[in-house]
Amino acid sequence: MLSDIQFLTDRFASEGSGKTAIVWQDKECSYADLLDAVQYWRERLAQEDVTSRDIVSLTADFSPSATALLLALVERGCTVVPLTSSVAHNRDTFLDIAQVTIDITLAPDDTGLFTRFARTPDHPLYQDLWQGHRAGLILFSSGSTGKSKAALHDFGLILDKFRETRPAKTTLAFLLFDHIGGINTLLHVLSNGGGLVTVADRSPATVCRTIDEYGVQILPTSPTFLNLLLMSGAVDQFDLRSLDTITYGTEVMPESTLLRLRSRFPDAKLAQTYGLSEVGILRSKSEASDSLWVRLGGTGVETRVIDGLLEIKSTSVMLGYLNAPSPITEDGWFMTGDSVEERDGLFRIFGRKSEMINVGGEKVFPAEIESVLHDIDGVEDVCVYGEQHSIVGNIVVARVSLTTGETTAEFRKRMMQHCRERLAPFKVPQKILLSKEQMHGERFKKNRSVLQATPERPLQQGRK
């Protein structure tokens, strides 16, 4: 059987024309409109002779047409590769890796341009999908710690978690269309008869204005964006009282940012989420709004910790990578690479093992240092990473954006005084780089691999 979206279209029909499904470019699309769009794309795909063995890249955002087309492709049994303009520099590479046979690009007016490629997909993982007559989903990792990996999923298994209905909420579409968090948000909202509100851009001012105008209840985002939001002043320019939940994931939350967020939004629930391109978004429950401890699991999910690293066994785990060895053990456990501590069924996530800085045999996690530096007056943003050192192996480097006019030497003096009582000596940054360059990628996640100084790409150190 091809992937079943009937439960979704049934819910669209039950909501009808009286309920807004998606707000796109300040226009409201009802569930009845969305159902009509699904039917349009069913007919269009048939006319274009799109088959279940096609690998289809879909370059779009969360428009009604993109949403309907995504569902029509899944229903047809295709393997879908969602893309956005944020990966334009990697686009051709991604199309090659996925062996895309058809590209559909949606224009700003939501019309679709079809381009067919003379490719015959032959990756062994596709054979498994085709034999089971199942639709697929390919998600590319952000590449923030190295090369982007292409994770292939059985789309039917992803859909299964949305069959159980939950409360309907008005939610902002912040996480991108080509991100597992964005796909999860879209399906969660629509499967429960909620409203998805899109934004023209993801600046703090636009996000706050949209929350105010449409009474957004849930903001799913990243710690990096939440820090920018708090620093921007936009939170004081708009009425954000409709927000009852702010969820954060994709990277480790600095504790200082969480506490500032809690102070600014005392009545909102702050909830940590956990998900990966390879396993989807897990059910999670924070210990409290001001706690970084979180319970992970849900139906069909098991967790374990091996040598301090989290491993997950889930029915929604990917089939494998198209361009890298599988990180799944022979008995079905996905090795996340996330360093964690466990307490009474709760987890504290410290960061990726690949981002850990080894200073003379001592472990240093960037998020801990960033949390301390964020508490220094005048620090607008900060990114911490390691740099090789001939004596201690690595030293801690902090790249800092300041709102003050300090020199590197002046800030270093303040920083050392601030860190002395808060960090062990080996954790204190030994190199400071002052810069106004953006420290995150399009997904609002710290991009440490790009920010590290190299002989080919030195970084400015600010005024002496």
Side-chain angles (χ1 to χ4, degrees):
M1 291 181 61
L2 301 184
S3 294
D4 179 20
I5 66 164
Q6 185 69 42
F7 77 98
L8 284 174
T9 54
D10 285 347
R11 289 176 192 174
F12 296 175
S14 67
E15 298 293 345
S17 59
K19 186 74 175 289
T20 298
I22 300 174
V23 176
W24 167 253
Q25 297 179 345
D26 292 323
K27 297 178 182 177
E28 297 185 8
C29 168
S30 72
Y31 275 93
D33 295 332
L34 190 57
L35 195 57
D36 289 342
V38 171
Q39 182 58 35
Y40 165 80
W41 283 112
R42 284 170 173 156
E43 296 170 2
R44 179 77 183 275
L45 294 177
Q47 292 170 3
E48 297 285 349
D49 196 27
V50 178
T51 74
S52 61
R53 294 209 170 199
D54 276 312
I55 314 300
V56 183
S57 55
L58 174 55
T59 305
D61 204 342
F62 291 104
S63 68
S65 197
T67 301
L69 176 51
L70 174 68
L71 295 178
L73 286 167
V74 171
E75 182 181 55
R76 204 164 184 83
C78 301
T79 293
V80 186
V81 189
L83 299 174
T84 64
S85 58
S86 68
V87 298
H89 57 293
N90 284 325
R91 177 182 171 81
D92 290 343
T93 299
F94 287 179
L95 297 186
D96 287 340
I97 291 171
Q99 299 179 313
V100 167
T101 59
I102 298 174
D103 173 68
I104 307 176
T105 298
L106 293 187
D109 64 358
D110 236 8
T111 57
L113 173 65
F114 281 66
T115 303
R116 189 176 288 274
F117 300 98
R119 288 192 181 100
T120 303
D122 60 0
H123 198 286
L125 291 177
Y126 289 147
Q127 302 299 326
D128 293 339
L129 275 179
W130 294 337
Q131 288 174 9
H133 301 288
R134 294 171 291 165
L137 173 68
I138 296 173
L139 296 170
F140 283 89
S141 63
S142 64
S144 59
T145 58
K147 183 181 71 172
S148 293
K149 297 184 180 71
L152 175 64
H153 287 266
D154 180 331
F155 214 130
L157 296 179
I158 292 177
L159 285 173
D160 282 346
K161 67 180 287 188
F162 300 101
R163 293 179 183 276
E164 180 184 349
T165 56
R166 296 178 180 276
K169 298 276 189 176
T170 302
T171 305
L172 194 85
F174 184 91
L175 302 174
L176 299 184
F177 185 67
D178 59 353
H179 183 273
I180 185 60
I183 295 293
N184 187 82
T185 298
L186 175 70
L187 295 175
H188 175 80
V189 171
L190 298 182
S191 64
N192 293 303
L196 186 73
V197 182
T198 67
V199 286
D201 63 77
R202 288 166 174 81
S203 66
T206 298
V207 167
C208 289
R209 184 183 303 111
T210 304
I211 292 171
D212 183 353
E213 183 174 356
Y214 291 100
V216 171
Q217 297 167 284
I218 301 179
L219 171 61
T221 184
S222 71
T224 289
F225 176 78
L226 289 170
N227 176 67
L228 296 175
L229 181 71
L230 292 170
M231 294 295 295
S232 71
V235 291
D236 299 317
Q237 298 172 10
F238 299 93
D239 183 354
L240 307 182
R241 286 175 294 178
S242 63
L243 272 182
D244 61 41
T245 304
I246 300 173
T247 66
Y248 57 90
T250 77
E251 61 182 353
V252 178
M253 168 69 88
E255 187 171 18
S256 60
T257 301
L258 178 62
L259 295 179
R260 284 188 291 124
L261 190 69
R262 183 60 177 159
S263 177
R264 180 57 186 79
F265 295 95
D267 298 324
K269 176 184 177 183
L270 309 181
Q272 182 175 179
T273 61
Y274 183 83
L276 298 164
S277 297
E278 298 88 349
V279 296
I281 306 298
L282 275 61
R283 300 283 186 206
S284 60
K285 184 178 182 181
S286 292
E287 181 183 42
S289 283
D290 58 356
S291 173
L292 291 174
W293 289 87
V294 61
R295 192 176 304 279
L296 302 175
T299 304
V301 176
E302 299 176 65
T303 57
R304 71 182 185 186
V305 179
I306 303 294
D307 297 328
L309 300 177
L310 179 64
E311 296 188 359
I312 297 170
K313 181 181 283 189
S314 170
T315 54
S316 63
V317 72
M318 67 173 183
L319 302 178
Y321 291 131
L322 299 180
N323 61 338
S326 175
I328 302 173
T329 65
E330 290 186 3
D331 55 346
W333 290 86
F334 173 74
M335 299 178 286
T336 68
D338 282 327
S339 296
V340 300
E341 184 179 339
E342 187 175 10
R343 166 173 61 80
D344 300 327
L346 295 165
F347 294 95
R348 172 77 183 266
I349 302 167
F350 297 105
R352 306 306 300 268
K353 180 183 179 182
S354 59
E355 294 182 347
M356 185 189 74
I357 307 166
N358 189 319
V359 182
E362 300 282 359
K363 296 179 180 179
V364 180
F365 289 98
E368 178 189 2
I369 315 305
E370 290 167 356
S371 178
V372 172
L373 298 187
H374 271 304
D375 266 345
I376 302 176
D377 289 342
V379 172
E380 183 176 44
D381 202 3
V382 59
C383 183
V384 169
Y385 52 87
E387 183 177 289
Q388 289 187 352
H389 189 275
S390 59
I391 298 176
V392 295
N394 292 276
I395 59 171
V396 178
V397 180
R399 187 164 176 261
V400 183
S401 175
L402 295 175
T403 59
T404 65
E406 292 170 286
T407 65
T408 304
E410 289 168 341
F411 175 71
R412 177 188 292 278
K413 182 178 179 180
R414 273 208 307 135
M415 183 204 73
M416 296 300 289
Q417 292 174 341
H418 179 83
C419 292
R420 191 170 292 125
E421 297 179 357
R422 296 169 174 83
L423 292 172
F426 67 87
K427 294 182 179 181
V428 177
Q430 298 301 300
K431 179 182 284 190
I432 306 297
L433 303 170
L434 298 186
S435 175
K436 287 295 184 182
E437 289 187 43
Q438 188 170 279
M439 301 188 194
H440 58 269
E442 294 286 342
R443 294 178 177 179
F444 284 88
K445 179 180 178 182
K446 292 285 171 65
N447 205 347
R448 305 184 199 284
S449 64
V450 172
L451 296 176
Q452 293 185 28
T454 66
E456 297 77 20
R457 187 180 183 275
L459 293 173
Q460 290 185 333
Q461 296 195 25
R463 293 180 290 120
K464 300 292 185 184

